[in-house]
Amino acid sequence: AQTVTQSQPEMSVQEAETVTLSCTYDTSESDYYLFWYKQPPSRQMILVIRQEAYKQQNATENRFSVNFQKAAKSFSLKISDSQLGDAAMYFCAYKSTNFGNEKLTFGTGTRLTIIP
Amino acid sequence: GAVVSQHPSWVICKSGTSVKIECRSLDFQATTMFWYRQFPKQSLMLMATSNEGSKATYEQGVEKDKFLINHASLTLSTLTVTSAHPEDSSFYICSASPFDRKNTEAFFGQGTRLTVV
């Protein structure tokens, strides 16, 4: 079974600064997907960024980028130019590419606070 | 984009009664939907996989007789909490993906906050 670990329960960053959230995972599969989801106070889950394991290039979405280290099974999220609206819980998630196994396995989450 | 709608957003029920939560895919068909439970300040824990036209697949430790799941159509899955007790109070979230985007993104409902008094 796959596991996802987020070792930082809480993080804070000054507005406009950069912060990195950590995520490690364990799997025996060679192909899979990794995601970062954001859950603001509304509790609506919002996709931030995704990475396909077979792609070596790190995914980027505007101010959000990942550092994907497949050998180390590490998948960190970097938020640049932090904004007040980035304050939320961030969950790292793993998904197998095996047919019929479409569920997401989530980490325990990191609560990000933005300091004005 | 793909939209998943969950209803109700919140519900309060008396201990011993049953409550039904609906999860609808509004603009796509979903043969599979997922039900998660989230305790305060915790992560999402998968409860079960809802399969259209067949029985749901429950995760270990989840009572299938207590959490009844029905996936009667390609756009609707329901979760019924039977004989609810205060310990069932939680936040329940469903998710689904269009068939051609199963690997790229899961779309989540708004969640349902259940309070059992």
Side-chain angles (χ1 to χ4, degrees):
Chain A
Q2 294 82 25
T3 59
V4 179
T5 302
Q6 293 179 250
S7 59
Q8 306 155 315
E10 297 183 352
M11 291 283 285
S12 61
V13 63
Q14 205 81 30
E15 192 176 3
E17 296 297 312
T18 296
V19 65
T20 299
L21 308 184
S22 300
C23 173
T24 58
Y25 58 94
D26 189 28
T27 183
S28 59
E29 298 177 334
S30 59
D31 196 17
Y32 45 87
Y33 290 84
L34 296 166
F35 305 85
W36 278 98
Y37 277 90
K38 168 185 178 180
Q39 189 180 42
S42 68
R43 303 192 79 169
Q44 174 71 55
M45 296 290 285
I46 301 167
L47 177 67
V48 175
I49 199 165
R50 61 175 167 262
Q51 175 79 41
E52 299 164 52
Y54 66 87
K55 288 187 176 179
Q56 292 186 334
Q57 186 174 8
N58 289 325
T60 300
E61 288 286 344
N62 300 313
R63 298 183 294 108
F64 300 87
S65 62
V66 298
N67 183 4
F68 173 50
Q69 301 291 325
K70 190 173 184 179
K73 296 180 181 175
S74 171
F75 182 61
S76 61
L77 174 69
K78 186 172 80 171
I79 306 175
S80 303
D81 185 25
S82 298
Q83 301 176 359
L84 294 177
D86 295 333
M89 281 291 289
Y90 286 81
F91 292 100
C92 179
Y94 174 102
K95 183 188 172 304
S96 171
T97 58
N98 290 337
F99 180 78
N101 188 11
E102 302 155 17
K103 66 181 182 182
L104 287 170
T105 300
F106 289 92
T108 49
T110 297
R111 180 172 300 278
L112 178 64
T113 301
I114 310 297
I115 303 168
Chain B
V3 178
V4 174
S5 178
Q6 195 171 334
H7 178 81
S9 298
W10 59 271
V11 59
I12 302 173
C13 70
K14 291 186 177 180
S15 186
T17 62
S18 296
V19 61
K20 180 183 288 187
I21 302 169
E22 293 187 346
C23 180
R24 293 182 184 272
S25 55
L26 297 186
D27 50 2
F28 66 95
Q29 294 182 333
T31 56
T32 305
M33 292 185 176
F34 299 92
W35 287 96
Y36 296 87
R37 183 174 182 176
Q38 186 179 29
F39 289 105
K41 298 185 179 181
Q42 294 190 23
S43 187
L44 282 72
M45 298 299 297
L46 180 66
M47 298 175 64
T49 302
S50 174
N51 303 299
E52 189 270 335
S54 64
K55 292 183 178 180
T57 304
Y58 290 83
E59 295 298 301
Q60 190 173 7
V62 177
E63 300 176 59
K64 61 181 180 181
D65 294 331
K66 180 166 191 61
F67 298 99
L68 298 179
I69 291 173
N70 183 24
H71 196 147
S73 78
L74 288 172
T75 59
L76 174 64
S77 174
T78 60
L79 168 67
T80 301
V81 183
T82 62
S83 186
H85 291 286
E87 57 265 30
D88 299 324
S89 298
S90 190
F91 191 69
Y92 294 87
I93 310 175
C94 69
S95 77
S97 299
F99 181 79
D100 60 345
R101 299 172 67 177
K102 283 188 173 181
N103 284 333
T104 56
E105 185 172 358
F107 295 88
F108 290 83
Q110 309 94 315
T112 298
R113 183 183 301 279
L114 170 63
T115 302
V116 185
V117 297

